[in-house]
Amino acid sequence: MDRNQMNRQLANMRKALFDQGYLDEQFVQLEELQDDANPNFVEEVVTLFYRDSARLIQTMDQTLERNPLDFAKLDNNMHQFTGSCSSIGAKKVKHECSQFREYCRQRNGEGCRRTFQQMKKEYAILKKKLEVYFQYVRQVALLK
Amino acid sequence: MSTPNSSVSDQFPAGLRVLVVDDDPTCLRILDKMLRNCLYEVTKCNRAEVALTLLRENRNGYDVVISDVHMPDMDGFKLLEQVGLLMDLPVIMMSADDSQNIVMKGVTHGACDYLIKPVRMEALKNIWQHVVRKKKKEWKDTKDVEQSGSVEDGDRQLKASEDVDYSSSANEGNWKSSKKRKDEDDDPDERDDTSTLKKPRVVWSVELHQQFVAAVNQLGIDKAVPKKILELMNVPGLTRENVASHLQKYRLYLRRLSGVSQHQGGLNNSFMGLSDTAFESMASLNGLDLQALAASGQLPSQSLATLQAAALGRSMNKSAISMPVLEQRNIFSFEAPPKIRLGEGTQQLSNNSKQISLLHGIPTNMEPKQLANMRCGQPFANMNVGSQVTQSSSHLMQMNQPQGRGQLLSDTNGSQVPKMHPSMIQNLSPNAISGGFLNPKGLDRSAVHNPFSHASSLVDFTMNQNTELPGNGFPLISNSRMSTLALKGMQQQEINSELKGSRGFVPGNDLFNEPHHQNPDDWGKNGISMFDVSQHYALHKTMGGSHAGLAQQCFSSNHKSGQHPDAPNNKLVFPAGEGGQNNTSNMGHLNQFLAENTMRIKAERLPDSGCQDNLFSEQFGQEDLMSALLKQQHDDTGPVDNDFGFDGYP
């Protein structure tokens, strides 16, 4: 595969992430921030996000196991998580977060648990997709 | 490093020192990068406590703070409050939460901006404006401070005449309050010897501050004195001086808040204990931007007008009312281009006319809404809005009803202040009437102190007083005497408070505009605090201002307690308000009133009071009035008297 092909494929991968609704324009903002001073800025931030949010998700997982549910705490945690998601442009995950918080407001424990699982799924999918994507980005960069 | 002066230089936004606080490492990292790409100098920290420590250790090390709202160790709002107490740094709040109430909370707590996450580069590119705004303010402040001494003392009076000369004096009050802060950010040379920095070596931790706030609240902001606070707090090691300086900062902080909060809905807090309420409110009118711009004098009159126009009618009223005389003047000049306003003015005109017609047809009680409109219409109140004033006045003029007026006058004369000069009485009576008139809902005048009536009466009074002065050519002294007489039964203190009372309008107006937000109790508080504030003010205003203040006082005192039997004004006001029928007559009075005011404006040239009636009986075109007003303003620069006149308007 020559460089052009790889570039094209990379572009397609990236486009797919947007087209399929995984990412939004905030991700583009991150890409625009990437410069010589921080050549891997986007990946760096995404990595940071996954590292930091893992802890938060774990906390929420535990909170969701307890009864009665501490909706205030859940909402608080999820609020923070939403901030992170939105900051990297994780569109689908963010959407689930909003849904979750809505259920929190309704004090709908079932809805919360269900949405949380869905959120984790999206979170994991995006993680995988981005890992592949960044791996490819690095490969392309090596060719240059 | 950006110093105030260099801040305007070519490379200004570059090097802006930003402290970013966010517990979310991802966000923090992104913000950091974004800010760096803006060429700002970034300090990031992930805990609010750490941020506070950084700020305490290096007060002058930052130009702006950006803080997340939700943080585990400290609520972002608390941080905001602490920063507000420590120094006058612009603080920008951010959160993924875009619900209106939380944004509002940020703004009412003194945040200069609120960013919704994800924060975008474009937003950060512009944050330097908050710094400039503050700097401008402070710079202005510096200028004023040199002459004036401390905010708390009465020096401001001395400045009154000087302020007139300041083109941007309108903002002076605000800036002034920040004078202590200015050293911190403004003058590199002085950076290390900020008074605020040196004096209190006590670290006002969040807990300590909470205790302090609790004590202040318990005492009431207007009655809170360091000694009592100290007793209530009962913290070993804390000295009265510590408390005193913190109290001062707290008041400054509240005052700063008021600029914002008034804008939003007239929070009670903002009014309380603010010595420069009027100034603040003005600022609040258009938001911070306006203030800063106006202060810097860079704001073109057009833009200012536009801003005001953008504001709702009520906000306009508010601002107008709250503005101190001197300031008004400035504003006025800004507003000079009447055309800009025309659109609005017309609108209001229609409102006014509508109201008037209502009055005619239905002399009964006015609805609050109507009142509000009326208030707007009142030319006096809205000096700022030239067009408004004119129109309303013209309408009122049409209404002219000599009869009613005569009655009122006679009442006044007979019952209360026989000693008063007839002309004086006249003036008073119209005022009183208008006050009564405004009294909404026809609530009983005596017992129920309706905020509305309060506001209106206050406004009216001021107006009247002004009128009196120029129109009759009475010496200031005589006027003051008059008021004194009127107040007769009242104590000296009360009189003083009256002086402050002129300030009182501000709150009154706000109430008017947003009656729902405030209840009578609050009102009372506000009124009190206002009084404190107004002191300086009155002094500034000089005689004219004080007159107005006195007159107001009578009313306000009446409202408050209704305990003062002597207050002649009371009777007038209330009865007028009561009788639906009276309204019309009141209107007449108002008209006269207006006429007088206008006269007053012209009075400088035409001292003859007789002229007034004629002039007023004729309907004045808006333009005429406007031009007259404008002219006056332009001419104003020199004579102090003019300024006074303007004072009356607010």
Side-chain angles (χ1 to χ4, degrees):
Chain A
M1 216 166 18
D2 68 9
R3 191 188 306 169
N4 280 343
Q5 264 182 312
M6 287 187 74
N7 271 335
R8 220 174 301 129
Q9 188 162 350
L10 184 64
N12 285 338
M13 285 173 74
R14 181 181 174 278
K15 188 168 181 295
L17 287 171
F18 285 94
D19 290 346
Q20 293 163 24
Y22 289 105
L23 298 175
D24 62 23
E25 78 281 357
Q26 182 64 21
F27 190 80
V28 182
Q29 281 259 315
L30 298 188
E31 290 177 324
E32 285 167 357
L33 285 171
Q34 193 159 285
D35 56 16
D36 292 343
N38 301 86
N40 300 315
F41 182 71
V42 182
E43 187 179 1
E44 181 196 330
V45 168
V46 169
T47 309
L48 189 60
F49 165 73
Y50 275 100
R51 193 168 61 211
D52 178 61
S53 52
R55 175 186 49 84
L56 206 53
I57 287 179
Q58 197 185 346
T59 309
M60 281 188 277
D61 248 335
Q62 289 164 358
T63 311
L64 280 167
E65 284 167 13
R66 273 181 227 126
N67 267 321
L69 285 178
D70 185 348
F71 288 105
K73 189 183 176 194
L74 284 172
D75 186 62
N76 210 4
N77 287 334
M78 193 51 93
H79 174 264
Q80 195 190 335
F81 185 65
T82 311
S84 310
C85 294
S86 64
S87 294
I88 65 155
K91 194 177 177 185
K92 279 196 180 181
V93 183
K94 191 176 89 175
H95 177 77
E96 299 299 333
C97 293
S98 308
Q99 189 61 52
F100 181 90
R101 295 190 71 198
E102 185 54 38
Y103 283 128
C104 273
R105 259 166 238 136
Q106 298 169 7
R107 307 187 69 76
N108 179 341
E110 182 49 40
C112 279
R113 290 193 175 93
R114 199 177 56 238
T115 314
F116 190 72
Q117 295 311 315
Q118 187 61 29
M119 188 275 288
K120 279 203 293 188
K121 210 168 93 188
E122 291 296 347
Y123 173 82
I125 292 173
L126 180 66
K127 186 180 184 190
K128 190 151 286 173
K129 283 187 179 287
L130 283 175
E131 272 171 3
V132 174
Y133 173 71
F134 285 125
Q135 200 177 1
Y136 213 82
V137 168
R138 280 196 300 272
Q139 282 179 16
V140 172
L142 282 176
L143 286 177
K144 285 177 184 173
Chain B
M1 289 298 232
S2 62
T3 65
N5 294 330
S6 69
S7 64
V8 199
S9 71
D10 303 338
Q11 46 130 28
F12 159 58
L16 193 79
R17 297 161 305 167
V18 187
L19 178 62
V20 201
V21 195
D22 196 333
D23 61 305
D24 182 337
T26 313
C27 292
L28 194 58
R29 178 72 186 94
I30 295 170
L31 279 169
D32 177 46
K33 179 65 182 165
M34 283 180 167
L35 291 165
R36 283 180 201 282
N37 280 18
C38 291
L39 299 179
Y40 301 153
E41 203 175 287
V42 188
T43 308
K44 51 178 181 171
C45 75
N46 57 6
R47 293 188 56 207
E49 287 288 2
V50 175
L52 271 182
T53 310
L54 287 173
L55 287 168
R56 281 199 191 103
E57 284 170 355
N58 188 4
R59 261 167 199 270
N60 305 304
Y62 308 95
D63 296 309
V64 61
V65 177
I66 303 180
S67 168
D68 189 25
V69 170
H70 293 260
M71 287 182 287
D73 64 327
M74 187 194 296
D75 186 284
F77 297 120
K78 253 181 210 151
L79 175 65
L80 181 59
E81 187 178 280
Q82 288 286 308
V83 173
L85 284 166
L86 271 173
M87 60 202 75
D88 189 20
L89 272 186
V91 179
I92 298 166
M93 301 301 289
M94 59 184 176
S95 160
D97 209 333
D98 59 353
S99 65
Q100 201 186 337
N101 62 343
I102 205 150
V103 175
M104 185 66 88
K105 195 176 170 193
V107 180
T108 53
H109 277 67
C112 65
D113 205 348
Y114 195 102
L115 304 176
I116 307 292
K117 285 182 180 179
V119 175
R120 295 185 62 85
M121 190 77 175
E122 295 80 52
L124 295 176
K125 273 180 186 160
N126 285 321
I127 58 168
W128 57 267
Q129 65 184 307
H130 301 297
V131 178
V132 174
R133 212 166 276 150
K134 276 260 200 293
K135 300 276 189 199
K136 290 281 183 207
K137 188 160 104 170
E138 285 154 8
W139 179 73
K140 180 77 212 152
D141 191 31
T142 341
K143 233 165 120 190
D144 294 333
V145 170
E146 257 125 48
Q147 306 165 356
S148 74
S150 96
V151 181
E152 309 298 336
D153 61 30
D155 289 353
R156 294 198 56 163
Q157 308 167 351
L158 301 176
K159 289 187 55 192
S161 54
E162 295 166 5
D163 288 344
V164 177
D165 298 329
Y166 284 78
S167 59
S168 52
S169 60
N171 301 298
E172 174 252 343
N174 293 325
W175 310 160
K176 191 173 191 219
S177 64
S178 54
K179 84 174 172 188
K180 298 209 168 103
R181 292 166 252 135
K182 85 174 177 190
D183 325 320
E184 301 161 14
D185 305 318
D186 266 359
D187 301 335
D189 309 334
E190 293 179 21
R191 282 201 170 171
D192 289 331
D193 81 33
T194 321
S195 56
T196 31
L197 204 153
K198 275 185 182 171
K199 276 187 223 153
R201 280 291 87 186
V202 172
V203 172
W204 285 84
S205 67
V206 178
E207 294 72 25
L208 198 56
H209 175 64
Q210 298 299 346
Q211 275 182 275
F212 168 83
V213 172
V216 170
N217 287 341
Q218 190 178 331
L219 293 167
I221 186 74
D222 48 308
K223 288 179 187 150
V225 293
K227 198 180 162 201
K228 285 186 185 166
I229 297 171
L230 187 61
E231 282 167 8
L232 275 176
M233 286 177 72
N234 192 23
V235 173
L238 202 62
T239 68
R240 202 196 66 85
E241 286 71 28
N242 296 144
V243 175
S245 93
H246 194 65
L247 179 63
Q248 202 172 2
K249 274 187 274 179
Y250 186 62
R251 286 184 192 272
L252 287 174
Y253 164 74
L254 287 181
R255 199 176 307 154
R256 255 178 281 141
L257 280 191
S258 74
V260 183
S261 53
Q262 282 194 0
H263 184 50
Q264 285 152 4
L267 296 187
N268 297 329
N269 279 343
S270 55
F271 299 110
M272 296 174 60
L274 304 179
S275 50
D276 290 341
T277 317
F279 294 92
E280 297 287 354
S281 60
M282 167 217 165
S284 65
L285 155 80
N286 291 316
L288 295 174
D289 301 6
L290 183 63
Q291 287 185 349
L293 292 174
S296 60
Q298 293 177 349
L299 187 61
S301 49
Q302 278 195 355
S303 56
L304 202 150
T306 317
L307 285 174
Q308 289 195 348
L312 296 176
R314 58 147 137 122
S315 59
M316 292 185 73
N317 293 329
K318 222 206 263 184
S319 61
I321 293 170
S322 52
M323 302 187 77
V325 185
L326 298 176
E327 269 126 13
Q328 281 188 352
R329 217 170 133 258
N330 291 332
I331 289 181
F332 220 128
S333 55
F334 280 117
E335 294 175 355
K339 290 176 184 174
I340 297 177
R341 290 262 183 82
L342 276 182
E344 231 194 48
T346 329
Q347 263 197 342
Q348 290 189 350
L349 257 174
S350 58
N351 287 337
N352 289 331
S353 55
K354 204 174 161 190
Q355 289 183 354
I356 291 172
S357 59
L358 286 172
L359 289 172
H360 271 308
I362 310 169
T364 56
N365 301 331
M366 296 180 70
E367 294 298 314
K369 204 179 167 188
Q370 292 178 351
L371 286 172
N373 288 333
M374 277 306 294
R375 195 170 95 5
C376 295
Q378 286 187 354
F380 333 65
N382 305 328
M383 264 313 272
N384 299 343
V385 188
S387 62
Q388 278 190 356
V389 174
T390 1
Q391 35 170 127
S392 59
S393 59
S394 60
H395 285 291
L396 290 172
M397 303 283 277
Q398 295 178 357
M399 302 283 297
N400 216 341
Q401 294 185 354
Q403 275 190 349
R405 186 165 163 248
Q407 282 183 350
L408 288 173
L409 291 174
S410 63
D411 287 349
T412 342
N413 289 331
S415 58
Q416 286 124 13
V417 188
K419 291 180 185 177
M420 293 178 107
H421 197 284
S423 60
M424 288 300 292
I425 295 170
Q426 278 188 351
N427 292 331
L428 286 172
S429 58
N431 290 332
I433 293 170
S434 58
F437 172 54
L438 291 173
N439 198 344
K441 301 172 183 174
L443 292 177
D444 68 295
R445 317 71 217 175
S446 56
V448 180
H449 299 289
N450 199 324
F452 290 97
S453 60
H454 235 354
S456 59
S457 63
L458 287 173
V459 174
D460 292 288
F461 280 106
T462 354
M463 291 302 291
N464 289 327
Q465 297 213 351
N466 290 328
T467 311
E468 291 174 0
L469 288 172
N472 295 321
F474 279 98
L476 293 174
I477 296 173
S478 67
N479 287 331
S480 61
R481 247 207 294 146
M482 281 299 295
S483 53
T484 317
L485 289 173
L487 296 175
K488 219 187 211 173
M490 310 187 84
Q491 299 173 352
Q492 196 75 19
Q493 273 194 337
E494 290 177 334
I495 292 172
N496 291 334
S497 60
E498 282 184 341
L499 291 175
K500 301 167 181 182
S502 53
R503 287 314 199 79
F505 314 130
V506 181
N509 289 328
D510 290 337
L511 287 174
F512 225 116
N513 291 331
E514 306 186 0
H516 301 289
H517 291 280
Q518 300 187 353
N519 47 42
D521 290 17
D522 296 334
W523 163 250
K525 280 187 201 168
N526 289 335
I528 294 169
S529 59
M530 310 259 336
F531 289 125
D532 292 341
V533 177
S534 34
Q535 268 194 345
H536 307 291
Y537 228 37
L539 292 174
H540 281 289
K541 287 186 180 176
T542 65
M543 296 302 288
S546 60
H547 288 300
L550 289 172
Q552 288 183 354
Q553 245 271 355
C554 296
F555 287 93
S556 58
S557 63
N558 292 332
H559 289 293
K560 274 196 229 157
S561 49
Q563 295 172 355
H564 304 284
D566 353 2
N569 291 331
N570 255 345
K571 294 177 181 178
L572 288 174
V573 176
F574 293 122
E578 290 184 5
Q581 296 175 349
N582 289 340
N583 283 341
T584 11
S585 58
N586 290 337
M587 279 305 290
H589 291 292
L590 281 175
N591 293 339
Q592 242 232 304
F593 203 7
L594 291 170
E596 286 179 358
N597 285 333
T598 18
M599 273 311 288
R600 195 178 87 14
I601 293 171
K602 294 187 175 179
E604 295 166 6
R605 285 152 215 158
L606 308 177
D608 189 353
S609 55
C611 292
Q612 291 181 355
D613 291 339
N614 296 335
L615 290 173
F616 293 97
S617 55
E618 299 175 9
Q619 292 185 358
F620 272 72
Q622 287 187 354
E623 278 104 0
D624 291 340
L625 289 173
M626 274 299 281
S627 60
L629 292 173
L630 291 174
K631 243 198 258 168
Q632 232 224 321
Q633 282 203 331
H634 289 296
D635 296 344
D636 272 0
T637 20
V640 180
D641 292 347
N642 288 335
D643 293 339
F644 290 138
F646 281 99
D647 290 351
Y649 288 93

